[in-house]
Amino acid sequence: MPLPRTRQPRLQIQAVEPILDCGRFPVKRTTGETVDVYATMFKDGHDTLAGAVRVKAPGERSWREVPLRSFGNDRWGASFTPERPGRWQFQVAGWTDRVATWQDEIRRKVEAGQEELTGELSEGAQLLGGEVTVEEGLAAEAGDRHDEATSQTFEVDVDRVLARFGSWYELFPRSWGGFLGVAEVLPQIAALGFDVVYLPPVHPIGHTNRKGRNNSLAPEPDDVGSPWAIGSEDGGHDAIHPELGTWDDFDAMVAAAKDANVEIALDFAIQCSPDHPWLKEHPEWFNRRPDGTLKYAENPPKKYQDIYNVNFESEDWQGLWQALRDVVLFWTGRGVTVFRVDNPHTKPVPFWDWLIREVRSKHPETIFLAEAFTRPSMMTTLAKLGFSQSYTYFTWKNTKAELVEYMAQLVAWSSFYRSNAFVNTPDILHEYLQHGGPPAFEARLVLAGTLSPSYGVYSGYELFENVPLRVGSEEYLDSEKYEVRRRSLDGPLLPLVQRLNEVRRAEPALQRVENIRWLETENDLLVAYAKDDVVCVVNLDPFNDREGVCVIPVALGFPPAFDARDLLTDQSFTWRVGRNYVGLPAGKSHLLKLAV
């Protein structure tokens, strides 16, 4: 092995935390959330060491420094708090403090009774720039930075708090009177405690191969088609459907959302109807079979004859990437900074890495929600490279064992994967809801809102809509994807929705996922878990009342007996460490605040 060309630092910096995949991806935080940095730092010999965490905010050129403090046994740490979104950088720097090292040596020799210190004082004079006595040397200011070493640079991807915690409400604007109708109902949605109003695609809808009601291949002349069949003679991804309103109407809706303190989220679906302008302007961006015909989208057994996917293998892939980035930047320019991304797992990972960085370098407040129901490796990679939050398989986890197992996975991913538990979507009506009636809807709502910091509701849930297209299907009969429904904000579940959202905002324990602790109930149809000082107990049986217990372990740190107030009903109970009787009607819950 050849000699190094330059002298290497003797100080070693190892085991830096927090990092993800050896630093390949950034860890995630939200604004105001502390980043605790740790490192192992040591050097041969007995020199006195010091160091700092060096921090660079997005867009800044200079590094800030936070001094390291020693935790003993070569472990050091410091903290910093990002105050704005974007990609932050940090390093761990360490050095030998020769002045402090010399002072430590002199101090120990004096304490040992050594009086002959001529040689030591000559060393001190050289370090301090002049003759000194023992007393002067010991009183001198330390802080020399000799032989400084620096770790590699790591990143922290900082989002707004909304990326970690929030309540989403999904609606089709054409069922609410277009953009102005949505603007009118936004204050009511905000009063229910929702933070985001998510709109499926608002673009022009194609005519060719348009789907009829209930996904029929034989549409009637007045059928409106699926919003995901994007593009017509009226434009593509940077246009709005004229039946939803004008651009002034759209801007008024966005302004109304800001006034109501909610945000509009748009759907970013990378697909085109046969009538999309790109089909004529850029035919090379689309997949063709050997016989020259275009290949429509499929997800067997589902077929989407009204949709063509783009070809990421196109020779003009760079032009395609830039066009898609420009679509997102067009909408951020109109005040939209939240996007629900349709099927990102069917597009290249490097594309998303590039696009999200491009957008967030200009608009770091932008939030991307990944609708990726696929294998864990793809779901986690999308989260690591920049998606702010992700859909989960919560919709299909309905038993106690399924919930416990799946939440363990989400907790293990929680440093980079932020879950959003939608209780339903226009595509997902689980059989638990189909057969369980209102109690099933109540149970799933409380589970979603207390297990996951972010959760979502698709309109109609509050009305207990539960009729499938056919037996065994998860699609709705008379799906809103293919027809207009005359919607208004009512429904018997809304009082519970409002109260649950109030509790979520008031209780920090419900704004995180990694603090969950499962509690014994001695009944598999009752599920119970603690999040700090909040305990949730849910009857998973939508048909029958159930009895059991909720065991509060000593390790939670509560006194032998304490008050437990139900935050949903305002009832109060006296609970104790150990077994507590629980009896709940079908689908009902306790959401208890435990008094310390």
Side-chain angles (χ1 to χ4, degrees):
M1 181 176 179
L3 286 169
R5 293 187 177 183
T6 59
R7 187 175 64 84
Q8 303 298 299
R10 292 164 60 184
L11 187 145
Q12 299 294 303
I13 299 174
Q14 301 175 0
V16 177
E17 297 177 17
I19 61 173
L20 182 60
D21 289 1
C22 300
R24 180 182 176 188
F25 299 105
V27 295
K28 285 185 174 171
R29 294 291 188 274
T30 53
T31 52
E33 193 173 11
T34 299
V35 182
D36 296 316
V37 179
Y38 301 95
T40 296
M41 187 171 73
F42 64 95
K43 179 186 176 183
D44 57 282
H46 304 286
D47 290 343
T48 299
L49 307 182
V53 171
R54 307 179 71 209
V55 181
K56 186 185 291 186
E60 293 186 359
R61 294 185 178 181
S62 59
W63 293 88
R64 316 173 189 178
E65 287 195 345
V66 183
L68 288 171
R69 62 189 184 95
S70 174
F71 297 110
N73 204 27
D74 299 329
R75 199 64 175 160
W76 300 71
S79 302
F80 67 96
T81 304
E83 67 272 9
R84 65 177 189 267
R87 292 253 178 156
W88 290 63
Q89 296 178 311
F90 73 91
Q91 304 170 336
V92 176
W95 53 83
T96 300
D97 188 331
R98 293 177 297 180
V99 173
T101 300
W102 176 81
Q103 290 172 328
D104 180 64
E105 179 185 353
I106 290 290
R107 186 177 296 106
R108 286 187 288 114
K109 288 182 177 181
V110 169
E111 291 173 353
Q114 183 174 335
E115 297 180 357
E116 175 50 51
L117 298 171
T118 303
E120 287 81 356
L121 290 174
S122 69
E123 293 173 339
Q126 184 180 43
L127 280 172
L128 299 173
E131 298 293 330
V132 292
T133 64
V134 170
E135 291 76 12
E136 291 170 339
L138 291 176
E141 184 177 354
D144 176 57
R145 297 174 69 144
H146 174 68
D147 200 23
E148 185 169 337
T150 306
S151 73
Q152 72 182 82
T153 301
F154 302 102
E155 289 188 320
V156 182
D157 194 1
V158 179
D159 283 295
R160 293 184 288 148
V161 174
L162 183 61
R164 173 174 54 82
F165 171 72
S167 305
W168 292 52
Y169 188 79
E170 178 179 358
L171 61 85
F172 285 76
R174 66 189 183 189
S175 294
W176 296 76
F179 299 136
L180 292 182
V182 173
E184 186 177 348
V185 79
L186 285 173
Q188 293 176 262
I189 296 175
L192 289 169
F194 288 104
D195 305 285
V196 180
V197 177
Y198 155 50
L199 311 181
V202 296
H203 316 297
I205 298 172
H207 302 282
T208 304
N209 300 332
R210 174 174 285 191
K211 295 296 186 72
R213 298 189 178 198
N214 290 315
N215 203 18
S216 167
L217 294 176
E220 297 295 328
D222 60 345
D223 281 339
V224 292
S226 167
W228 282 273
I230 297 170
S232 76
E233 68 278 2
D234 293 313
H237 284 76
D238 56 357
I240 52 176
H241 199 301
E243 294 181 7
L244 297 178
T246 65
W247 279 113
D248 286 343
D249 296 338
F250 179 87
D251 294 339
M253 177 186 67
V254 174
K258 292 181 179 179
D259 289 342
N261 200 29
V262 297
E263 298 207 28
I264 297 294
L266 292 185
D267 196 289
F268 183 42
I270 302 178
Q271 57 204 35
C272 301
S273 86
D275 306 315
H276 195 292
W278 285 352
L279 269 294
K280 292 181 179 179
E281 298 168 1
H282 297 282
E284 70 279 7
W285 288 356
F286 297 89
N287 289 294
R288 295 184 183 273
R289 291 188 171 91
D291 64 0
T293 58
L294 281 166
K295 184 177 182 181
Y296 61 75
E298 293 185 76
N299 183 17
K302 295 181 179 180
K303 295 184 178 183
Y304 304 97
Q305 294 90 340
D306 55 342
I307 293 172
Y308 293 138
N309 289 323
V310 300
N311 178 17
F312 279 97
E313 297 292 323
S314 168
E315 291 185 4
D316 186 31
W317 61 270
Q318 291 177 314
L320 175 62
W321 283 28
Q322 290 170 343
L324 293 169
R325 174 205 58 193
D326 291 347
V327 165
V328 179
L329 291 177
F330 172 84
W331 291 105
T332 57
R334 298 206 79 102
V336 176
T337 53
V338 184
F339 295 90
R340 179 268 198 188
V341 179
D342 192 73
N343 289 325
H345 57 290
T346 61
K347 287 80 182 176
V349 166
F351 165 73
W352 290 121
D353 190 14
W354 174 83
L355 179 135
I356 293 174
R357 284 176 180 265
E358 281 280 295
V359 172
R360 295 197 67 219
S361 67
K362 299 174 177 63
H363 298 278
E365 71 278 13
T366 306
I367 291 170
F368 292 92
L369 167 63
E371 188 239 8
F373 297 113
T374 185
R375 301 175 304 280
S377 54
M378 176 60 84
M379 295 172 72
T380 55
T381 297
L382 291 170
K384 290 174 183 178
L385 62 80
F387 275 92
S388 313
Q389 56 179 243
S390 310
Y391 278 67
T392 71
Y393 279 95
F394 168 79
T395 326
W396 294 279
K397 307 299 180 181
N398 291 273
T399 68
K400 184 175 185 176
E402 290 170 341
L403 289 166
V404 170
E405 179 184 39
Y406 194 57
M407 289 304 299
Q409 185 179 70
L410 294 182
V411 169
W413 295 349
S414 61
S415 66
F416 59 88
Y417 187 99
R418 301 192 187 104
S419 59
N420 193 323
F422 266 80
V423 291
N424 67 328
T425 77
D427 291 309
I428 307 171
L429 173 63
H430 193 273
E431 62 179 358
Y432 182 85
L433 298 178
Q434 295 176 23
H435 304 302
F441 282 73
E442 290 191 30
R444 295 298 293 174
L445 176 71
V446 173
L447 287 168
T450 56
L451 287 172
S452 179
S454 293
Y455 84 105
V457 173
Y458 159 54
S459 60
Y461 190 89
E462 64 270 23
L463 296 166
F464 308 130
E465 292 181 357
N466 67 341
V467 181
L469 178 62
R470 65 180 68 90
V471 175
S473 172
E474 289 188 342
E475 295 189 55
Y476 286 84
L477 180 65
D478 300 328
S479 171
E480 203 171 359
K481 289 175 61 176
Y482 308 106
E483 63 182 80
V484 177
R485 305 281 294 276
R486 298 303 175 190
R487 295 284 196 188
S488 60
L489 198 59
D490 52 24
L493 195 58
L494 289 181
L496 178 60
V497 169
Q498 183 173 17
R499 182 56 188 154
L500 178 63
N501 285 337
E502 289 172 351
V503 172
R504 282 164 45 83
R505 287 182 175 177
E507 298 297 332
L510 298 178
Q511 299 172 16
R512 313 200 69 84
V513 70
E514 71 276 7
N515 59 344
I516 189 170
R517 177 161 182 168
W518 295 97
L519 305 176
E520 179 57 57
T521 60
E522 299 179 7
N523 184 336
D524 283 345
L525 289 170
L526 292 179
V527 64
Y529 43 92
K531 286 192 167 185
D532 302 335
D533 60 346
V534 176
V535 167
C536 187
V537 189
V538 181
N539 180 2
L540 301 178
D541 188 343
F543 306 109
N544 302 288
D545 300 353
R546 293 289 175 178
E547 295 180 323
V549 299
C550 180
V551 179
I552 303 297
V554 174
L556 289 186
F558 290 98
F562 50 86
D563 292 332
R565 182 171 65 89
D566 194 321
L567 299 172
L568 298 178
T569 65
D570 209 31
Q571 291 178 285
S572 292
F573 307 93
T574 298
W575 273 32
R576 57 186 50 82
V577 171
R579 301 168 80 250
N580 298 276
Y581 169 79
V582 174
L584 286 170
K588 295 294 184 179
S589 307
H590 283 315
L591 188 53
L592 302 171
K593 176 80 168 182
L594 307 188
V596 178

